Amino acid sequence: MSYDITFRFKPVYEFMNSLHTFICRKSHKKIELSPKWVKETQAMLTTEYNSILREWQMDEEWKYAYLLLEQQDIYTAEDYINFLENTSDKDLLDHFVTLCKDWNFKVPDFEMKRFKERYRELFYEWNEQYFKQISSEVCKALQAENAVRLAKKEYKSVDSLVDETTRGLMFNRTEGLVRIVLIPQYHFQPLHIFWHYGNTIVCHYAASVYLGDDTVIPPHDLRVLRSLGEKNRLKILKYLHQGPRSFIEIVRHLQLSKGITHDHISKLRSSGLLYAHFDGENLIEYSIRSHALRQVEHRLLNYIEV
């Protein structure tokens, strides 16, 4: 069994990912933009809109809102807003039916009119109050990243493409999986935004795009060095050198709580030092990403010597 790899980017993806990042409060301490970005963004928004976002839930509708990004005529945030405003309830359902049929995914059963009204307002305000204000450098950098990946597709294997692009995601060739769509994103770095639709996996991957001072070590490289400076994480790497292990096996080996173990694994994953093996939507085991360890010295020397 095999699957196809598709690389895509258009500005509306980052529009949606930036909103996802802000709403996903539980991840604010983990993202590279840091809580400082959250506070600065809150200051840009009206009190009423801040209140709406605090109450917003990432439920099943949110997943379908992402699915609509695959409409060919939705390229920018403005396109998405106009689409919701000018599409009839019946036509919107027809769009969902077409997408779901192509991706072998269930057709939504929520009310189309309510969906349009809620998301049109949500997107309009986010675009006006935040996304229009951010630097165009973000989308330009993501477009360039996508071009690099497309060029590599010609001479790289599927596994190496996924590995290199996502820094450690591995997908089993399970029955029914037809394609993996890889989309670069900036706001949610170093985490990935990951959706599974029937026969298709869509991964908005952390693109390692850094727009800061060139004299400062890039956040990804610094994260790798920091992740290695803890004895339990080194124990995990040493244990996984023996072969892939499940989360429970790692917990038992460390003799730590599940929460602490998960935190250590998360830091190693976000640094690109572990493979996370998926069977469909299920993360089944971890293994060591040895070549990433061998790159640490090179990256450090490159920063020091340049």
Side-chain angles (χ1 to χ4, degrees), residues 30-33 166-167 185-192 205-207 220 223 266 269-271:
K30 301 176 183 178
I31 60 174
E32 286 178 358
L33 288 177
T166 66
R167 298 196 311 277
Q185 58 86 14
Y186 168 79
H187 280 80
F188 209 53
Q189 295 182 96
L191 310 177
H192 305 303
Y205 67 90
H220 172 68
R223 194 184 326 114
S266 294
R269 276 190 63 190
S270 66
S271 301

Side-chain angles (χ1 to χ4, degrees), residues 20 87 119 156-157 164 178 182 190 234-235 265 270 285:
H20 180 102
T87 303
Y119 279 89
K156 291 266 188 176
S157 69
E164 183 181 303
V178 171
L182 297 173
L234 293 176
K235 285 176 67 175
I265 290 174
S270 66
E285 62 187 8

Side-chain angles (χ1 to χ4, degrees), residues 6-273:
T6 301
F7 292 102
R8 294 181 189 165
F9 180 74
K10 48 188 179 181
V12 70
Y13 288 136
E14 193 58 22
F15 165 77
M16 192 72 173
N17 290 332
S18 63
L19 180 54
H20 180 102
T21 303
F22 189 80
I23 292 175
C24 192
R25 293 175 292 279
K26 64 182 180 180
S27 298
H28 286 172
K29 292 183 179 179
K30 301 176 183 178
I31 60 174
E32 286 178 358
L33 288 177
S34 79
K36 180 182 178 183
W37 171 79
V38 177
K39 291 181 179 179
E40 291 174 347
T41 303
Q42 286 174 336
M44 297 170 65
L45 309 178
T46 64
T47 302
E48 180 182 4
Y49 191 54
N50 266 309
S51 179
I52 290 172
L53 295 180
R54 280 196 299 270
E55 299 299 323
W56 201 272
Q57 298 297 317
M58 291 182 178
D59 53 15
E60 192 75 359
E61 287 187 4
W62 188 255
K63 186 173 182 177
Y64 281 99
Y66 259 96
L67 180 59
L68 280 177
L69 299 179
E70 300 311 312
Q71 284 290 116
Q72 290 187 356
D73 55 349
I74 297 178
Y75 186 77
T76 66
E78 290 80 5
D79 291 337
Y80 200 172
I81 295 162
N82 291 333
F83 173 83
L84 292 173
E85 185 172 9
N86 299 316
T87 303
S88 69
D89 299 351
K90 180 183 181 303
D91 286 345
L92 178 59
L93 180 58
D94 288 343
H95 285 300
F96 274 128
V97 169
T98 300
L99 288 168
C100 291
K101 182 179 180 180
D102 184 35
W103 287 12
N104 195 28
F105 192 57
K106 59 182 180 179
V107 177
D109 57 4
F110 49 74
E111 185 183 353
M112 294 295 116
K113 182 178 180 180
R114 176 179 173 275
F115 176 88
K116 287 193 306 178
E117 291 175 350
R118 292 181 73 229
Y119 279 89
R120 191 266 175 193
E121 178 185 6
L122 180 76
F123 294 159
Y124 177 81
E125 295 300 338
W126 183 252
N127 193 42
E128 292 296 316
Q129 297 185 41
Y130 174 74
F131 197 70
K132 278 185 176 181
Q133 322 305 323
I134 70 170
S135 172
S136 61
E137 285 184 303
V138 172
C139 288
K140 288 179 180 178
L142 294 173
Q143 191 75 60
E145 159 72 15
N146 187 61
V148 169
R149 299 300 171 187
L150 283 170
K152 291 184 177 182
K153 186 178 178 180
E154 300 300 320
Y155 59 91
K156 291 266 188 176
S157 69
V158 168
D159 287 341
S160 64
L161 272 171
V162 175
D163 173 25
E164 183 181 303
T165 303
T166 66
R167 298 196 311 277
L169 294 186
M170 298 293 287
F171 300 100
N172 289 351
R173 286 173 164 76
T174 54
E175 183 177 358
L177 180 60
V178 171
R179 68 178 74 86
I180 295 177
V181 181
L182 297 173
I183 300 165
Q185 58 86 14
Y186 168 79
H187 280 80
F188 209 53
Q189 295 182 96
L191 310 177
H192 305 303
I193 299 173
F194 182 65
W195 303 109
H196 191 180
Y197 300 97
N199 61 25
T200 301
I201 291 172
V202 180
C203 178
H204 298 256
Y205 67 90
S208 294
V209 170
Y210 176 59
L211 303 175
D213 188 346
D214 290 341
T215 64
V216 177
I217 187 170
H220 172 68
D221 294 342
L222 184 59
R223 194 184 326 114
V224 174
L225 295 172
R226 285 176 171 169
S227 69
L228 292 171
E230 207 284 333
K231 63 179 182 180
N232 286 302
R233 291 172 211 155
L234 293 176
K235 285 176 67 175
I236 291 173
L237 294 175
K238 188 174 180 66
Y239 182 51
L240 293 181
H241 181 65
Q242 303 169 24
R245 296 288 187 268
S246 69
F247 175 71
I248 293 301
E249 288 177 311
I250 298 172
V251 169
R252 290 171 181 164
H253 178 72
L254 291 183
Q255 297 184 334
L256 296 173
S257 70
K258 291 182 180 179
I260 293 175
T261 302
H262 183 269
D263 183 65
H264 287 315
I265 290 174
S266 294
K267 286 183 168 57
L268 290 171
R269 276 190 63 190
S270 66
S271 301
L273 299 177

